[in-house]
Amino acid sequence: MNKKTASLLLTLLAAVLLALPGRAWAADTTLTTQVPASHTLTLTLDAGIRVTVDGVSYKNGARIAIPRHQSPTLTLCLPAGAVLEKADYNGRDVTRALQEGPYRLPPVESDGLLTVTLRPGTSQPATGDTGAALYVLCASLAAGALLTLGRSRKKHL
């Protein structure tokens, strides 16, 4: 290959390389996206727990639509005698915040999951007092004994 041919090929190669980026920069690219107006908050709650979101009460499995960039207020309603084990919002521990009262979520920008569990062995107590029957029986026996004692004293006088 002679010098002229080599020089011509190199010039042609340089022209092609310089033309490629210019062509890519000249193209217009349009990107479009859709931003949702609301996101879904899903509740996973142990039995008996209810969550109030901005004044509306929900139970386990509820899927609540929250407007984008809003900060709803959550309040826990636990069964009588139950003790909160853990509350988790999108992987973040919010147990203490919910124990102290209403908790305001950060602005909602994506779907969320709230999981609330109770401490094992803390369930709602049974209604009725099973120990009352024993007290009634003892009181009846004591009253009967006092009556018998009172009658036996009258006979001896």
Side-chain angles (χ1 to χ4, degrees):
M1 190 185 313
N2 64 19
K3 280 185 166 182
K4 271 187 163 183
T5 309
S7 178
L8 182 62
L9 284 174
L10 284 175
T11 304
L12 186 59
L13 180 62
V16 169
L17 289 176
L18 288 174
L20 285 177
R23 196 168 174 153
W25 290 329
D28 287 335
T29 303
T30 303
L31 296 176
T32 59
T33 186
Q34 288 203 313
V35 178
S38 66
H39 297 285
T40 302
L41 173 63
T42 303
L43 303 179
T44 303
L45 313 171
D46 275 0
I49 301 174
R50 295 187 67 80
V51 173
T52 303
V53 179
D54 289 336
V56 180
S57 184
Y58 298 93
K59 59 184 179 178
N60 183 40
R63 296 175 53 85
I64 309 157
I66 307 289
R68 185 171 175 79
H69 296 296
Q70 295 298 311
S71 297
T73 300
L74 307 179
T75 306
L76 280 184
C77 302
L78 302 178
V83 177
L84 180 63
E85 171 81 12
K86 184 169 184 181
D88 180 276
Y89 174 68
N90 287 348
R92 185 173 155 226
D93 188 358
V94 293
T95 307
R96 175 172 270 158
L98 281 168
Q99 282 176 330
E100 293 173 354
Y103 171 64
R104 191 169 190 85
L105 288 179
V108 176
E109 296 178 348
S110 63
D111 290 347
L113 175 65
L114 177 67
T115 305
V116 182
T117 55
L118 297 176
R119 183 166 292 145
T122 60
S123 60
Q124 194 169 5
T127 56
D129 189 358
T130 57
L134 181 60
Y135 293 118
V136 169
L137 178 63
C138 288
S140 299
L141 288 174
L146 284 175
L147 286 173
T148 306
L149 182 64
R151 286 183 185 166
S152 68
R153 283 190 172 177
K154 284 183 182 178
K155 289 181 183 177
H156 294 285
L157 291 175

